[in-house]
Amino acid sequence: MDLLKVADYMNRYPVTFTADMPVEMAVARLIKGRQTGGPVIDEQRKIVGFISEQDCLQRMLMSTYHDQQASRVADVMNPAVLTVKGYDGIIDLAQIMLKAKPKLYPVVDDDGYLLGIITRSDVLGAIDKELHSHYGKVG
């Protein structure tokens, strides 16, 4: 199982966001893409933040209570992003996911450029697939 790598199971075409995007547009992208959050990137696809459904929901509720104007992704995103590398092991990531809160991690290269995302479901599927391949060899 040490051979299972993040790059083999990640989504290479995730929903992404820009810092100047209106939160309402980010919400629409999250809903349409069925992602719980996603990386905020600059023009070169370098990660500058992360926005989640929770971030958006919190801002939208505040806006309804206070009748505020539209916010930008930069106003609600988290600039401290937990990321993984494509060459990281699935088992190592699974162990991190047991301890850390994120259900979705941006996958970056060594320079911080976005390659894709990997979710808890992707990790679970990778481990399940590997275990099933071993079940067929037993007996």
Side-chain angles (χ1 to χ4, degrees):
M1 278 220 211
D2 290 339
L3 300 176
L4 299 176
K5 298 297 178 199
V6 167
D8 296 327
Y9 296 94
M10 70 182 188
N11 172 356
R12 296 178 187 279
Y13 304 100
V15 176
T16 59
F17 309 89
T18 60
D20 62 345
M21 178 183 290
V23 170
E24 293 78 12
M25 184 181 289
V27 168
R29 283 189 177 191
L30 285 172
I31 292 168
K32 185 177 181 186
R34 296 180 182 256
Q35 278 183 209
T36 58
V40 181
I41 56 174
D42 65 14
E43 301 81 29
Q44 287 79 39
R45 294 188 58 81
K46 194 158 194 163
I47 295 191
V48 296
F50 189 89
I51 189 166
S52 69
E53 289 174 326
Q54 185 172 343
D55 298 328
C56 294
L57 184 59
Q58 184 176 11
R59 181 50 61 120
M60 291 175 83
L61 282 174
M62 191 171 27
S63 294
T64 60
Y65 288 129
H66 302 290
D67 197 28
Q68 293 179 336
Q69 296 298 321
S71 300
R72 300 265 175 227
V73 167
D75 300 327
V76 299
M77 73 180 194
N78 184 346
V81 185
L82 297 174
T83 62
V84 295
K85 303 287 197 297
Y87 52 75
D88 288 341
I90 288 286
I91 301 303
D92 294 335
L93 179 55
Q95 291 172 340
I96 291 168
M97 287 180 153
L98 289 175
K99 298 173 190 159
K101 184 179 177 180
K103 298 174 184 147
L104 183 157
Y105 285 80
V107 182
V108 296
D109 66 14
D110 288 331
D111 295 317
Y113 293 97
L114 182 67
L115 299 174
I117 62 167
I118 190 156
T119 66
R120 190 176 291 170
S121 294
D122 296 329
V123 171
L124 185 62
I127 294 170
D128 182 61
K129 181 178 178 183
E130 182 67 14
L131 288 174
H132 275 88
S133 74
H134 290 294
Y135 295 152
K137 295 177 184 176
V138 177

